[in-house]
Structures are given as C-alpha cells and as structure tokens.
Amino acid sequence: MTESLVSKLQRQIQFYFSDANLRHDKFLRRHISEASDNYVDLEVIARCNMVKSLTEDIDDIRQAIRSCSDLELSADGQKVRRISNLPEHINTDEQTIFVDSVPPFANHAMIKGVFSQFGTVEYVSLPRYQSTGNLKGFAFVEFDSKESAIRAVKVTVLLLFILLSFLHFND
C-alpha cells in the first residue's frame, strides 16, 4: 500500500470519528453507541462510500488506523474506536453559514478549500437529491468559531457587492 493511500484513508477515517462529523452522522454515532465498548467493526468502515472508493481491503484500513493517534484498534484488530469520549451535542448554528448557488460539480474538498481562508472549516454538508444523487445547489459550512463564520459572510457579501457594482456600471 502506498503512503498516499495510507494518508487518504487516515484522513477519511479520522474525519468519520471527528467531533464535527459525529454531531451530524447518525449512522456512525448509532454504531458507536450500540457497542458497550464503543468499537465499530472495520466492515462498517469498509462499506462507507469514501473508504470503498479508496480500497476494499480490510488490511489497508487496519494499517491506516494503526498510525492514527486518536483512534485505536481492538485487540483482535477487527474493530476501531475513538480514544477520546464522544462529543456532547452543541449548537453549531452560530458558526455555520448557508452557501447558495453551489455549482453541480462541487465537492467537499472544493468547498472546504474556498472557505478555509476565513477560518478552520470543521464540516461541509452538500445535500443531494435522493432520487438522482445530484447536488441540490447549496451547502452548509461549519467553522470552528462564530468569528470565522462572520468573516466569511462579510467577505462574500463584499465580493458580491463589488461584482454587482461592476456589472451595473458596465451596462
């Protein structure tokens, strides 16, 4: 397995178990909560779409997890869990912004890349139509702080104002 694949798997699996994701991911949170020891079977992780797009080999997943400082494997190497406790439910509304007119080719990395200049992006939600899988054309971006969200809104509103002013004066 290449270092690149290990790195991609680590990032994805660490994201799955991150506080930001577990506040929204009912499926994984349920799996964690149902187990008395909070372990999740590696087969569950292997079935997640992003992991499945990288590998279907449980040994690759196991190897990636071994070098994650915030995750641990069970003694038999068949399950994984967070080392830290599950996050408490917190209200993230004040640090989340709504983004309209998201292009149909957008992805999580693209949205995170655009908005990371305003602060640490904790979570990106790109809702899709269940029937087609196509993006609905909007996103929610959760920052690590209210100040980062405010900064993102102020700058995007300013850019929109400049663009509209430019278009108006060129008519």
Side-chain angles (χ1 to χ4, degrees):
M1 178 166 59
T2 66
E3 281 186 43
S4 173
L5 178 57
V6 169
S7 178
K8 288 176 183 175
L9 281 169
Q10 285 174 332
R11 276 194 311 272
Q12 190 59 48
I13 296 168
Q14 284 176 311
F15 170 73
Y16 288 152
F17 284 89
S18 71
D19 288 355
N21 185 60
L22 288 174
R23 282 194 291 271
H24 304 278
D25 189 334
K26 293 175 186 160
F27 171 79
L28 187 57
R29 191 164 178 105
R30 181 176 45 83
H31 276 278
I32 293 169
S33 298
E34 286 176 354
S36 61
D37 55 6
N38 292 338
Y39 278 106
V40 175
D41 195 300
L42 293 183
E43 292 291 338
V44 171
I45 303 302
R47 288 193 305 265
C48 295
N49 289 334
M50 290 300 293
V51 170
K52 199 170 14 175
S53 74
L54 297 170
T55 187
E56 294 186 16
D57 188 342
I58 294 290
D59 287 331
D60 289 348
I61 296 167
R62 191 177 295 114
Q63 182 179 341
I65 292 169
R66 279 194 181 106
S67 50
C68 292
S69 61
D70 50 351
L71 300 174
E72 65 182 350
L73 288 168
S74 59
D76 65 1
Q78 299 301 309
K79 298 177 182 179
V80 61
R81 72 176 174 190
R82 287 168 53 118
I83 292 175
S84 62
N85 292 329
L86 290 175
E88 294 296 319
H89 179 73
I90 60 169
N91 186 347
T92 57
D93 290 351
E94 290 186 342
Q95 59 200 58
T96 302
I97 65 170
F98 173 79
V99 181
D100 201 4
S101 302
V102 172
F105 55 83
N107 60 39
H108 288 86
M110 181 185 297
I111 300 296
K112 187 173 184 173
V114 167
F115 287 96
S116 289
Q117 63 188 312
F118 306 112
T120 302
V121 174
E122 295 283 332
Y123 186 83
V124 174
S125 173
L126 285 169
R128 296 178 177 274
Y129 291 104
Q130 196 169 16
S131 61
T132 64
N134 294 338
L135 292 178
K136 291 185 175 182
F138 62 89
F140 294 97
V141 179
E142 179 186 318
F143 290 92
D144 64 337
S145 70
K146 178 181 176 179
E147 294 74 25
S148 295
I150 290 170
R151 192 169 33 257
V153 170
K154 283 182 178 178
V155 171
T156 53
V157 167
L158 178 62
L159 291 174
L160 181 60
F161 176 76
I162 292 169
L163 176 63
L164 291 173
S165 296
F166 176 78
L167 293 173
H168 174 74
F169 289 119
N170 287 321
D171 278 346

